[in-house]
Amino acid sequence: AERGWAPTTLLRSGAVVAASALLVVLEPDLGSAALLLAVVAGMAFVAGLPLRLAAAPAVAGLGALVLAVVSSPYRLARVRAFLDPDAATAAAWQSTQSLIAIGSGSVLGRGYGAGLQTLFYLPGPHTDFIFDIVGEELGLVGMIGLLGLAAVIVWRGLRIAVRQPTPAHGLLAFGLAFAFALQSL
């Protein structure tokens, strides 16, 4: 192993991350497990883990992700709907409704609280599809404002990370900012 990267520490850390991700997948919540793995990978990269030491876990994680998608008909249908919304109409319902919401908002939107997609067309409009509802109600201007707010939060988180006196605190701040950035995307 490289200087500073003891094999036992890497194996122990990798086992904890893999076990945590597996438990989240069994919940079942593949998206949160993928987010966890991406954040840990980003933190390892920023911490200076040599890429050759990260290659095997990255390939294993990608293989596990593919296996999790292929082994579940629901997940496979969602991925197919994401890649080709016209091919799978039932699985693409949410994506289609979100595009309708954004498209009907135009530049200035329908007005705050006047969105129609909240009327049972989009499930969880206050959580999963908040960006689409903002697009419908506040239009392109509101969407740009929301993206701007997210960018400011990520930027401030990264500034906090850089200014931390200890590397562990800086790495934690980076992980939180990176997780927020990935979720926002």
Side-chain angles (χ1 to χ4, degrees):
E2 301 289 323
R3 195 179 96 212
W5 296 96
T8 56
T9 304
L10 288 174
L11 287 173
R12 231 179 295 151
S13 300
V16 168
V17 170
S20 300
L22 179 64
L23 288 174
V24 174
V25 167
L26 293 175
E27 185 55 32
D29 189 357
L30 184 61
S32 293
L35 177 69
L36 171 68
L37 294 175
V39 169
V40 169
M43 291 173 69
F45 178 76
V46 167
L49 181 68
L51 292 179
R52 67 178 163 272
L53 292 178
V59 169
L62 191 58
L65 178 67
V66 169
L67 181 64
V69 169
V70 172
S71 67
S72 169
Y74 171 74
R75 290 180 186 145
L76 191 58
R78 292 293 303 268
V79 169
R80 284 185 180 149
F82 176 75
L83 295 174
D84 186 13
D86 296 331
T89 55
W93 170 261
Q94 295 171 337
S95 300
T96 303
Q97 294 303 316
S98 67
L99 291 174
I100 290 170
I102 290 172
S104 66
S106 189
V107 176
L108 297 176
R110 294 179 179 262
Y112 183 72
L116 300 177
Q117 293 300 314
T118 56
L119 305 174
F120 306 112
Y121 292 106
L122 279 176
H126 59 289
T127 57
D128 292 345
F129 292 96
I130 193 164
F131 187 73
D132 306 318
I133 298 303
V134 167
E136 182 181 24
E137 294 183 0
L138 303 178
L140 180 64
V141 173
M143 291 171 31
I144 291 172
L146 190 60
L147 288 174
L149 287 174
V152 167
I153 290 170
V154 171
W155 172 67
R156 295 292 296 170
L158 293 176
R159 278 192 61 199
I160 289 169
V162 168
R163 294 179 177 188
Q164 290 304 306
T166 61
H169 293 152
L171 196 56
L172 175 63
F174 169 80
L176 292 171
F178 189 53
F180 185 83
L182 288 177
Q183 282 285 69
S184 297
L185 285 175

